[in-house]
């Protein structure tokens, strides 16, 4: 878990806490391709730890981001590993 992972988690925590879920485009739209790629990778890292859940109904469709089973403790867990 890196500082980029923590930054991505903190951004998602703010939005998911308010709305319950968000799409990748809503969360990271307007980012450069480089930053969007970094954010996408960090989302996969967060998914592998159970911090977030991802859903994509069809190929090339929107990626929906939801709180995972470890979402509430995600921030503390990530900080301990840095």
């Amino acid at each position: 878990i890196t500082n980029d992972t923590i930054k991505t988690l903190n951004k998602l925590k703010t939005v998911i806490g308010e709305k319950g879920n968000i799409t990748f485009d809503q969360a990271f739209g307007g980012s450069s391709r480089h930053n969007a790629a970094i954010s996408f990778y960090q989302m996969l890292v967060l998914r592998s730890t159970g911090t977030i859940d991802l859903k994509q109904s069809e190929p090339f469709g929107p990626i929906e981001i939801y709180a995972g089973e470890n979402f509430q403790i995600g921030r503390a867990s990530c900080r301990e590993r840095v």
Side-chain angles (χ1 to χ4, degrees):
I1 305 282
T2 66
N3 286 330
D4 285 333
T5 309
I6 294 169
K7 287 178 191 176
T8 302
L9 175 60
N10 288 338
K11 182 171 187 168
L12 293 174
K13 275 185 161 266
T14 300
V15 178
I16 292 175
E18 295 171 1
K19 296 183 178 184
N21 72 315
I22 191 170
T23 66
F24 181 82
D25 288 341
Q26 290 170 326
F28 303 104
S31 298
S32 68
R33 285 184 174 194
H34 177 78
N35 287 339
I38 290 171
S39 298
F40 182 77
Y41 174 77
Q42 298 309 327
M43 283 189 354
L44 296 177
V45 171
L46 292 168
R47 170 62 184 98
S48 72
T49 63
T51 306
I52 63 171
D53 285 323
L54 303 171
K55 180 181 177 185
Q56 187 176 30
S57 299
E58 60 185 353
F60 304 104
I63 300 169
E64 299 173 26
I65 308 165
Y66 298 89
E69 61 185 49
N70 297 328
F71 187 74
Q72 295 301 324
I73 61 169
R75 186 174 181 176
S77 297
C78 289
R79 283 196 173 166
E80 291 171 5
R81 296 181 186 179
V82 173

